[in-house]
Amino acid sequence: MRVDLVTLFPELFETFLRTSFVGRAMTGGQLEVRLRSPREFGLGRHKSVDDTPYGGGSGMVMRVDVLVACMEALDAEAAAEGKPRARRILLTPQGKPFAQPIASTLSTEPAIMLICGRYEGFDERVRSFVDEELSLGDFVMTGGEVAAMAVIEATVRLIPGVLGNLESTHEESHGEEGLLEYPQYTRPAEFRGVTVPEVLSSGNHAHVAAWRKQLSLERTQARRPDLLDRRETSPKSKP
């Protein structure tokens, strides 16, 4: 999988791309990342990438011509190497909420491009040059770089061969069942008066599975009942 990153601060990704399973995926060849700054296509002596908003207002707005030039340069380089065009994804608070099913879909794409904003946002015309808009949540950050890292981490871990045990992703929170994960325990068996549930030491795998399923349902009902509503309306949940 290839990830193209459009960011004014490529240095923010240096440690992230060398760390944990993302770094292993880079080393192992499952992940390729290309970083490109819109500043390379900036205007004038100062390589300007933003300007004041038409109609007035506070802050600066990222220019459409600079951003599109950056995106198209990445695509042109990929085409010259015989590689596929990336699916362009604009990271913005106005986008579709990023969720596990989206990460699963993106993990099957040969290439995605994550466009990180800064300042007061993008010129509205940028939206005409992307394939999708995603939001990390109902809050505002100063840039899209942290959101891009979240999308990369959630997506890359689903690529076969990246994690040691891909099956573990099926039972975790927001996995195939759409539920929160059941409680997990490890040694010691007792800590400050709290013991590990006996069923987990019983050796009866059927009982363990039933206990975990029940606890997943109860935890989801208590903490995220909206997930159960979504699960009931999902085509996968229907017989």
Side-chain angles (χ1 to χ4, degrees), residues 170-181:
H170 299 301
E171 295 184 353
E172 62 193 3
S173 293
H174 310 292
E176 285 189 349
E177 289 290 323
L179 303 172
L180 298 183
E181 188 177 16

Side-chain angles (χ1 to χ4, degrees), residues 141-161:
M141 297 185 292
T142 55
E145 284 76 16
V146 172
M149 292 180 196
V151 171
I152 291 171
E153 183 153 324
T155 300
V156 170
R157 66 193 302 276
L158 300 177
I159 299 173

Side-chain angles (χ1 to χ4, degrees), residues 6 38 62-72 115 122 126:
V6 175
M62 293 191 73
R63 296 176 60 108
V64 60
D65 48 358
V66 171
L67 283 171
V68 171
C70 188
M71 291 187 275
E72 290 180 345
I115 301 123
F122 306 91
V126 171

Side-chain angles (χ1 to χ4, degrees), residues 133-144:
E133 298 181 31
L134 291 179
S135 168
L136 203 59
D138 295 334
F139 51 89
V140 177
M141 297 185 292
T142 55

Side-chain angles (χ1 to χ4, degrees), residues 15 67 83 87 132 136 148 198 200 203 234:
T15 301
L67 283 171
K83 296 178 179 179
R87 180 174 182 80
E132 188 173 3
L136 203 59
E198 290 185 9
L200 297 178
S234 170

Side-chain angles (χ1 to χ4, degrees), residues 94-156:
Q94 300 179 32
K96 181 192 306 181
F98 182 62
Q100 190 68 18
I102 296 176
S104 182
T105 298
L106 293 181
S107 71
T108 66
E109 292 278 351
I112 62 173
M113 182 185 296
L114 302 175
I115 301 123
C116 307
R118 281 276 161 172
Y119 313 123
E120 283 299 307
F122 306 91
D123 184 300
E124 181 69 17
R125 291 166 290 186
V126 171
R127 301 182 193 279
S128 302
F129 294 90
V130 302
D131 302 301
E132 188 173 3
E133 298 181 31
L134 291 179
S135 168
L136 203 59
D138 295 334
F139 51 89
V140 177
M141 297 185 292
T142 55
E145 284 76 16
V146 172
M149 292 180 196
V151 171
I152 291 171
E153 183 153 324
T155 300
V156 170

Side-chain angles (χ1 to χ4, degrees), residues 189-203:
E190 183 274 333
F191 181 71
R192 297 185 181 178
V194 181
T195 59
V196 175
E198 290 185 9
V199 64
L200 297 178
S201 303
S202 68

